Structures are given as C-alpha cells and as structure tokens.
Amino acid sequence: QVQLVESGGGLVQPGGSLRLSCAASGFTLDYHAIAWFRQAPGKEREGIICISDSNVSTYYADSVRGRFTISRDNPERTAYLQMNSLKPEDTAVYYCATRHYYCSGRSASYDYWGQGTQVTVSS
C-alpha cells in the first residue's frame, strides 16, 4: 500500500525550530519529487518548497526562503523539512506530497499525499 506519513509537528515558540519528516511506504522515493504544502485555518493550501528527483530545491513561498530547507534520504525513504526562525504565521497543517521527477507548485499535480501534521507557533 502506497502511503506517506508526516511526523514532527507540534507547538513551538516564535523563533524556534522544528524538523518535519515524511516517510514513504509501498514505494521508493527514487525518481520522485517531494514537496511540502501547508494550509492555515481559513486559507487555501499553499506550496512552500520542493526537492526534485535530482535534488534541486525550489521555493514556492518567499516567506520561508532562508528559514526552511528540504532534504531527502532515499535509502530511508524519508524526506525532511527543517524549519528555523519560526513565526506565528507559519502555523498550519503541513503536508508532504510526491510526483514523478520534477517539482510543481500545483497541488493537483501530485499523486500521493500524507495526512498532515499540525505545526503551531505561539508563545
């Protein structure tokens, strides 16, 4: 069964850090691009960052540039989102998603999705 499972969310104070994980099962991450999206209450889901199958990173949200980085460990079938200098406006449910080869900022172009993990930035 093909599945993506996110973990690592939680409550963090402004300025803090979190690392989210996205674990794949039922398939390998080779030849796949992996993206992170987020959805805040009352807002549309937005793409924030993606890493292609050739490890090229693409930012889709300028608000996270310089604070968030994406990485992948194909043998472990896991991707990561390192989030530093977190702000209250980063509060959202974070989702990982995959598609073949190339990155896209369009959520509709992704084949598999995780269930999401909540990140809350608050003092």
Side-chain angles (χ1 to χ4, degrees):
Q1 181 182 359
V2 172
Q3 195 174 13
L4 292 174
V5 178
E6 302 96 336
S7 61
L11 174 64
V12 63
Q13 292 187 343
S17 297
L18 280 176
R19 188 177 79 157
L20 306 184
S21 299
C22 172
S25 60
F27 70 108
T28 65
L29 293 180
D30 305 75
Y31 312 114
H32 282 81
I34 305 155
W36 287 92
F37 289 76
R38 67 184 179 185
Q39 188 166 20
K43 295 188 177 181
E44 293 187 356
R45 187 173 299 187
E46 68 166 342
I48 54 176
I49 193 170
C50 178
I51 186 167
S52 71
D53 69 322
S54 56
N55 289 328
V56 176
S57 296
T58 302
Y59 286 92
Y60 295 111
D62 288 338
S63 62
V64 306
R65 192 182 298 269
R67 300 188 297 123
F68 291 11
T69 56
I70 189 171
S71 61
R72 62 193 296 158
D73 185 336
N74 284 357
E76 293 295 324
R77 302 188 184 187
T78 303
Y80 303 96
L81 179 65
Q82 178 66 44
M83 305 186 295
N84 299 326
S85 303
L86 283 161
K87 304 176 181 180
E89 51 264 42
D90 294 317
T91 295
V93 178
Y94 284 71
Y95 301 88
C96 63
T98 66
R99 67 188 301 269
H100 278 97
Y101 305 120
Y102 308 116
C103 287
S104 170
R106 294 177 56 248
S107 60
S109 66
Y110 286 81
D111 302 311
Y112 303 120
W113 289 82
Q115 82 290 348
T117 186
Q118 176 71 46
V119 171
T120 302
V121 184
S122 175
S123 55

